[in-house]
Amino acid sequence: MAGAATQASLESAPRIMRLVAECSRSRARAGELWLPHGTVATPVFMPVGTQATMKGITTEQLDALGCRICLGNTYHLGLRPGPELIQKANGLHGFMNWPHNLLTDSGGFQMVSLVSLSEVTEEGVRFRSPYDGNETLLSPEKSVQIQNALDSSYSPVSAFQAAGNTGSDIIMQLDDVVSSTVTGPRVEEAMYRSIRWLDRCIAAHQRPDKQNLFAIIQGGLDADLRATCLEEMTKRDVPGFAIGGLSGGESKSQFWRMVALSTSRLPKDKPRYLMGVGYATDLVVCVALGCDMFDCVFPTRTARFGSALVPTGNLQLRKKVFEKDFGPIDPECTCPTCQKHSRAFLHALLHSDNTAALHHLTVHNIAYQLQLMSAVRTSIVEKRFPDFVRDFMGAMYGDPTLCPTWATDALASVGITLG
Amino acid sequence: MKLSLTKVVNGCRLGKIKNLGKTGDHTMDIPGCLLYTKTGSAPHLTHHTLHNIHGVPAMAQLTLSSLAEHHEVLTEYKEGVGKFIGMPESLLYCSLHDPVSPCPAGYVTNKSVSVWSVAGRVEMTVSKFMAIQKALQPDWFQCLSDGEVSCKEATSIKRVRKSVDRSLLFLDNCLRLQEESETLALSSRLECSGAISTQRSLLLLGSSDSPTSASRVTGTTGACCHTRLIFVFLVEMGFHSVGQAGLELLTSSDPPASASCWDYRHEPPCLVLQKSVIIGVIEGGDVMEERLRSARETAKRPVGGFLLDGFQGNPTTLEARLRLLSSVTAELPEDKPRLISGVSRPDEVLECIERGVDLFESFFPYQVTERGCALTFSFDYQPNPEETLLQQNGTQEEIKCMDQIKKIETTGCNQEITSFEINLKEKKYQEDFNPLVRGCSCYCCKNHTRAYIHHLLVTNELLAGVLLMMHNFEHYFGFFHYIREALKSDKLAQLKELIHRQAS
């Protein structure tokens, strides 16, 4: 029930997005996010550094790749090392020594991914810690409180300087997340509860001037529920909106329709963050549908399994076929891995117990994602995004017409035809 | 290559090895250490993070145990392992085994030695071994040798004798194979390049002879050869005079530093590349007589340097072998480098330097990293008084906590935590916002805190290994720098005392 929730809505929430260019055919936009720790060009892919680290690569390496915003996770950091310690460490920026922007997720998704350890009520999500069996209640207030505490007086100039302002630059509301494969009344319950929890998060938010609280649109795969959620949440004057509850086990056909529905009802002058999307094809299509921000563990996780991302898909470098392949992963790629190393060497290193192999691939895969987004953006600015999409699909699938049906349909819905 | 000693004090040799590498323009300081690698890469580190480290040694250690299985790939690659691993600028030394992983005994025969790789056992005869080295093209390599005596306790004198005999036989065979392959390679290159007509002849000249006129002289001499082989080809077309410099080289007693004095503008560049240098291996277990025999006999061969094998173990076993070590190095020529395998702890390093050892492996910082620890031992024998007080108080506290020796089992390294390090997994570091070592200029200490490293270890994050490795390597390389400084200013006793105080 969408009650008339007491709205402690933000009056004139900061407009953090500036549109630079728009595709005249599709809904694609190029823009800039103006955040406390610097400007971020959009569309943007945000690598995920869950526990205050981008896995095996240093913040210097991440910076050198051109990354200007990445993710941390409230649930994980809330458990270890905990918000008090992070606050003492000059906030999350200071703790991990990251001078650019941070976005922290609320812990909502963990309700789905760690469902056996969680229980949802109106109060919040009760988690049982897998480490010590202790129970914690993650309420909207608690989630915002933790994310506020990840704040600091940290300046990007040096790790130990206590000056300046802000913590994680974008924080997410706690939402009631159900897996996209769930049907029935639970979906509706979760959608309405997410609206109520949004209001509670807004009310609890102590630092609206320094941390941007984003709402998360829910409603599962039900168009009506989603529409209701969009209508209600857009009444709240938050600086940005995320599209949640997707990129689970749903079919791609349902997926894109929900994304398209969402972007059609979200304000143009605020960023649209599609959560959990990271496959190259999905990124390109969803940019066409009007999304600006993306995050996903896929590129960094797949790297640690020996898989390198390339314009034609991916290379599983552990395979014997690469044993004597003396070229780089991608001759067009400018990342340090491709500048210095061959597929053959990486193959050999992957079969050793030296973790350096994983780091080489993590660097490359992040570079791949960032270079892809950069190319997408340039094509939008230069008014040739539809051609870019055709070329991209051609490289990925051999021929633009061979791209998956869902993608063809999605692109067609916004005026881009392939082949 | 040329080793020149600046001074020798109390048995410690301070100096430089010059004219190293394919182009002959690299230098190494001694005493020094080699960069430890696993499958051709510093552990946990990419090119970027490796180059964050200050003082990385000029020479890296590769292990045959990690590379032998890639023989075929490297042969097809043709350009050598340095380029393959992305370290074309580094000097490379190839050892047989990985000093961190123990070698199972019982796999050396009269004809072959086995190394243990991820894929399993790789058995190498002399010819296979030399073929692998040819594919690798390292600057130095440990000769095939029988080092099994050190893997076992209480070896019979018969077995010890056999290890010396076999190692010498392997050495002679490897040397022979190397010369043969060079002769073949040289003449076949010239043939291919069309520089030799049907009237070519191959003359072997001693050092006192001079070539006839109207001949183009080309030569390659291995470092420190006892007999220089100079190939003179009478060339039908394209005569170039040798010039005075060339003639002098033929009669001089020093090997040429580089090929720059030859008029080789019209020669294929590969003709004048320096070949890989064989490092002779001193065996002999704990039997003085055999050790001396091994040293004397190996020294007679045209090797580029010596590896002292069989001294690995724990601090107590090394102590028992120190006298042996002195006697061995006393038999070795002064102008060739002495490496030791399996010794990497700071206190042991000093003991060995005092007994004439020049070069060490740097696997100790890696072992420290693997157990989640950071090197914190002090080697600044002339610190400012305030720092000393702080460090001393810290050290005393550490020692109090070290009443019980803790055994850590990490990735097969059944090693004890030493008093040269702190264990970042300990709860007391959870809120310690100091760097690992105050005043350390490494990337980790300049950018991160003990609390952060503790968090990474507790959450099992990969970055822990990366940051700890960067710190531990830098700290360790810094230690070697201070050893050389101490020798320069005659302060080794102070350094030794400082290290000794910190060794539990």
Side-chain angles (χ1 to χ4, degrees):
Chain A
M1 265 70 65
T6 34
Q7 294 177 35
S9 61
L10 293 165
E11 295 289 302
S12 61
R15 290 296 186 271
I16 61 172
M17 178 146 184
R18 182 176 89 88
L19 284 178
V20 168
E22 289 178 79
C23 175
S24 53
R25 291 214 126 242
S26 67
R27 299 183 195 168
R29 313 110 64 75
E32 282 170 1
L33 288 174
W34 287 48
L35 296 169
H37 281 86
T39 312
V40 176
T42 64
V44 62
F45 176 78
M46 306 179 286
V48 181
T50 310
Q51 301 194 100
T53 158
M54 190 55 63
K55 297 303 167 186
I57 69 170
T58 64
T59 50
E60 187 186 83
Q61 285 177 290
L62 192 55
D63 166 273
L65 288 171
C67 177
R68 293 294 174 263
I69 181 169
C70 65
L71 261 68
N73 186 277
T74 302
Y75 168 77
H76 290 96
L77 293 171
L79 285 178
R80 303 184 301 185
E84 297 84 13
L85 185 97
I86 292 183
Q87 208 164 26
K88 284 182 196 168
N90 281 331
L92 186 53
H93 284 87
F95 186 58
M96 61 185 287
N97 193 38
W98 174 241
H100 305 300
N101 296 291
L102 282 168
L103 184 155
T104 45
D105 188 16
S106 56
F109 180 67
Q110 276 64 46
M111 288 158 54
V112 174
S113 59
L114 301 171
V115 68
S116 58
L117 296 169
S118 65
E119 192 206 334
V120 186
T121 63
E122 186 62 26
E123 203 187 2
V125 191
R126 202 166 290 277
F127 284 106
R128 203 173 6 96
S129 165
Y131 310 116
D132 53 16
N134 283 346
E135 273 202 0
T136 41
L137 173 70
L138 194 63
S139 64
E141 291 76 15
K142 181 82 191 286
S143 176
V144 169
Q145 186 191 43
I146 294 173
Q147 292 181 81
N148 283 161
L150 300 183
D151 184 357
S152 70
S153 22
Y154 175 66
S155 145
V157 174
S158 99
F160 306 116
Q161 213 175 308
N165 53 22
T166 80
S168 36
D169 307 82
I170 298 175
I171 66 174
M172 307 304 296
Q173 71 156 112
L174 182 66
D175 49 344
D176 187 357
V177 191
V178 289
S179 161
S180 51
T181 52
V182 168
T183 53
R186 178 74 185 102
V187 182
E188 183 172 346
E189 179 194 49
M191 184 273 285
Y192 282 112
R193 181 172 290 144
S194 296
I195 300 171
R196 293 192 293 277
W197 281 5
L198 172 59
D199 288 337
R200 282 166 64 180
C201 284
I202 292 171
H205 188 22
Q206 297 287 315
R207 331 182 60 95
D209 52 328
K210 291 174 183 173
Q211 292 178 293
N212 297 290
L213 173 65
F214 276 23
I216 306 179
I217 311 292
Q218 294 294 341
L221 302 173
D222 185 313
D224 292 329
L225 290 177
R226 236 178 230 268
T228 306
C229 197
L230 282 155
E231 194 185 324
E232 282 305 314
M233 285 193 173
T234 49
K235 288 180 188 164
R236 278 72 171 166
D237 196 15
V238 287
F241 294 92
I243 303 165
L246 297 174
S247 133
E250 75 277 1
S251 77
K252 276 297 204 283
S253 167
Q254 295 168 301
F255 160 77
W256 81 259
R257 284 171 221 280
M258 288 299 105
V259 174
L261 171 61
S262 303
T263 55
S264 70
R265 310 274 174 103
L266 286 171
K268 275 195 151 192
D269 61 346
K270 291 180 178 177
R272 295 93 170 260
Y273 166 25
L274 181 55
M275 305 184 82
V277 167
Y279 295 135
T281 301
D282 300 9
L283 291 171
V284 172
V285 171
C286 292
V287 167
L289 295 179
C291 298
D292 309 304
M293 301 161 64
F294 306 88
D295 82 284
C296 193
V297 295
F298 168 70
T300 38
R301 183 172 290 169
T302 206
R304 298 194 301 281
F305 286 99
S307 180
L309 301 176
V310 288
T312 51
N314 73 303
L315 308 175
Q316 179 35 272
L317 290 172
R318 295 178 62 98
K319 289 200 172 140
K320 200 160 163 68
V321 67
F322 297 108
E323 197 187 28
K324 294 175 186 174
D325 191 340
F326 300 126
I329 293 171
D330 180 2
E332 305 295 309
C333 179
T334 55
C335 86
T337 304
C338 291
Q339 294 302 296
K340 288 216 92 63
H341 298 296
S342 66
R343 299 169 177 192
F345 172 62
L346 294 167
H347 170 87
L349 202 58
L350 281 166
H351 284 283
S352 76
D353 61 349
N354 193 336
T355 67
L358 312 178
H359 310 325
H360 285 304
L361 292 189
T362 301
V363 163
H364 169 78
N365 282 1
I366 291 178
Y368 172 80
Q369 299 284 104
L370 298 182
Q371 280 167 127
L372 174 63
M373 286 289 103
S374 180
V376 163
R377 184 177 200 271
T378 304
S379 77
I380 298 170
V381 169
E382 293 179 357
K383 304 201 180 317
R384 50 175 181 82
F385 177 65
D387 281 332
F388 174 88
V389 175
R390 281 184 275 272
D391 291 339
F392 171 84
M393 294 302 174
M396 185 64 76
Y397 299 102
D399 190 87
T401 56
L402 294 174
C403 112
T405 316
W406 75 268
T408 312
D409 294 344
L411 291 166
S413 81
V414 288
I416 296 183
T417 50
L418 304 171
Chain B
M1 81 170 157
K2 188 169 158 61
L3 189 155
S4 40
L5 293 172
T6 316
K7 68 205 273 197
V8 181
V9 56
N10 282 347
C12 309
R13 295 147 51 90
L14 176 70
K16 286 190 192 299
I17 311 176
K18 299 181 189 156
N19 309 321
L20 290 161
K22 302 279 188 291
T23 46
D25 51 9
H26 282 69
T27 307
M28 271 209 295
D29 289 317
I30 59 166
C33 64
L34 312 178
L35 174 70
Y36 174 68
T37 69
K38 287 161 72 73
T39 312
S41 164
H44 304 299
L45 305 179
T46 63
H47 184 258
H48 186 134
T49 43
L50 177 63
H51 284 269
N52 280 136
I53 303 174
H54 303 105
V56 177
M59 184 176 272
Q61 171 188 11
L62 307 172
T63 61
L64 215 49
S65 50
S66 66
L67 294 171
E69 63 190 286
H70 305 293
H71 175 201
E72 231 183 83
V73 177
L74 286 159
T75 306
E76 201 168 308
Y77 183 67
K78 289 189 178 61
E79 295 180 76
V81 72
K83 199 153 173 242
F84 184 72
I85 63 179
M87 297 178 78
E89 293 308 306
S90 183
L91 296 168
L92 298 171
Y93 163 67
C94 185
S95 67
L96 272 180
H97 302 289
D98 187 329
V100 170
S101 325
C103 59
Y107 289 96
V108 182
T109 70
N110 286 336
K111 291 225 179 313
S112 71
V113 174
S114 293
V115 291
W116 294 82
S117 74
V118 173
R121 184 165 78 97
V122 179
E123 187 174 3
M124 299 178 294
T125 56
V126 168
S127 50
K128 179 164 180 182
F129 173 78
M130 289 306 286
I132 294 174
Q133 295 298 348
K134 196 164 158 208
L136 291 173
Q137 299 162 35
D139 296 285
W140 294 359
F141 63 92
Q142 171 185 355
C143 191
L144 203 63
S145 57
D146 180 356
E148 276 198 345
V149 166
S150 59
C151 301
K152 304 195 270 222
E153 309 264 324
T155 331
S156 71
I157 192 162
K158 194 170 160 197
R159 180 64 183 90
V160 174
R161 204 170 286 144
K162 200 169 3 176
S163 78
V164 177
D165 290 335
R166 270 186 187 153
S167 302
L168 286 167
L169 188 61
F170 287 146
L171 177 57
D172 288 337
N173 283 327
C174 287
L175 284 165
R176 181 180 46 83
L177 272 182
Q178 191 176 49
E179 273 187 31
E180 275 174 21
S181 95
E182 259 177 36
T183 315
L184 262 162
L186 208 50
S187 65
S188 78
R189 276 189 213 119
L190 283 168
E191 214 171 304
C192 289
S193 75
I196 308 176
S197 70
T198 49
Q199 288 172 302
R200 76 166 175 205
S201 58
L202 206 70
L203 300 175
L204 299 175
L205 299 176
S207 54
S208 53
D209 294 348
S210 51
T212 54
S213 62
S215 63
R216 182 173 66 195
V217 180
T218 159
T220 116
T221 60
C224 314
C225 277
H226 287 260
T227 334
R228 275 182 304 287
L229 300 174
I230 301 172
F231 299 87
V232 179
F233 297 91
L234 290 171
V235 180
E236 184 112 293
M237 52 192 199
F239 294 108
H240 301 270
S241 62
V242 174
Q244 195 59 31
L247 282 172
E248 276 169 359
L249 269 166
L250 290 174
T251 54
S252 73
S253 54
D254 288 326
S258 71
S260 56
C261 29
W262 307 112
D263 184 10
Y264 61 91
R265 279 169 300 178
H266 296 267
E267 287 173 7
C270 57
L271 279 176
V272 295
L273 278 180
Q274 300 207 40
K275 67 182 182 202
S276 303
V277 167
I278 295 185
I279 302 293
V281 188
I282 314 292
E283 297 291 350
D286 292 327
V287 181
M288 179 66 84
E289 195 186 310
E290 287 302 305
R291 279 283 177 189
L292 295 177
R293 183 167 75 94
S294 180
R296 287 171 192 146
E297 285 302 316
T298 309
K300 288 180 188 166
R301 275 73 171 169
V303 292
F306 303 94
L307 175 69
L308 302 151
D309 194 16
F311 290 91
Q312 47 269 61
N314 55 56
T316 34
T317 60
L318 179 68
E319 212 179 295
R321 291 167 174 160
L322 287 176
R323 200 169 72 84
L324 220 52
L325 187 56
S326 303
S327 309
V328 168
T329 56
E331 300 292 329
L332 300 175
E334 281 194 353
D335 64 344
K336 292 183 183 179
R338 300 93 175 264
L339 298 84
I340 193 163
S341 60
V343 175
S344 191
R345 274 175 54 125
D347 48 346
E348 299 182 338
V349 162
L350 287 178
E351 299 282 8
C352 291
I353 289 174
E354 284 183 316
R355 286 159 181 82
V357 180
D358 303 324
L359 293 166
F360 299 81
E361 300 160 322
S362 63
F363 61 88
F364 179 66
Y366 168 69
Q367 290 173 317
V368 172
T369 302
E370 293 309 281
R371 46 182 181 250
C373 296
L375 288 175
T376 52
F377 71 97
S378 177
F379 45 76
D380 188 352
Y381 52 90
Q382 288 185 139
N384 67 65
E386 214 177 272
E387 272 303 315
T388 318
L389 211 59
L390 287 163
Q391 298 276 25
Q392 271 175 358
N393 287 340
T395 318
Q396 268 151 25
E397 230 187 88
E398 309 289 0
I399 291 173
K400 273 188 211 141
C401 301
M402 290 282 303
D403 280 329
Q404 293 298 321
I405 296 173
K406 304 151 214 156
K407 258 198 204 300
I408 301 292
E409 279 201 46
T410 354
T411 61
C413 315
N414 210 342
Q415 297 280 326
E416 299 166 359
I417 295 182
T418 69
S419 50
F420 298 113
E421 61 202 81
I422 54 173
N423 181 5
L424 269 307
K425 287 187 192 139
E426 285 176 26
K427 216 160 153 58
K428 66 181 180 182
Y429 296 114
Q430 197 178 43
E431 291 198 22
D432 187 341
F433 296 113
N434 291 303
L436 292 175
V437 171
R438 197 199 326 257
C440 176
S441 55
C442 85
Y443 176 87
C444 181
C445 289
K446 291 211 112 62
N447 290 285
H448 294 291
T449 62
R450 294 172 169 193
Y452 184 62
I453 306 292
H454 173 87
H455 163 73
L456 294 175
L457 286 166
V458 162
T459 53
N460 237 325
E461 284 283 348
L462 288 168
L463 192 62
V466 177
L467 294 176
L468 283 175
M469 191 76 264
M470 288 204 279
H471 168 79
N472 289 336
F473 265 150
E474 181 146 343
H475 196 88
Y476 192 72
F477 301 151
F479 168 57
F480 272 87
H481 173 78
Y482 266 77
I483 295 176
R484 293 189 290 269
E485 290 300 308
L487 284 172
K488 243 181 249 170
S489 41
D490 289 311
K491 293 255 168 44
L492 190 73
Q494 280 96 315
L495 178 58
K496 199 177 167 197
E497 200 258 336
L498 176 61
I499 298 297
H500 206 71
R501 250 194 290 138
Q502 297 172 87
S504 65

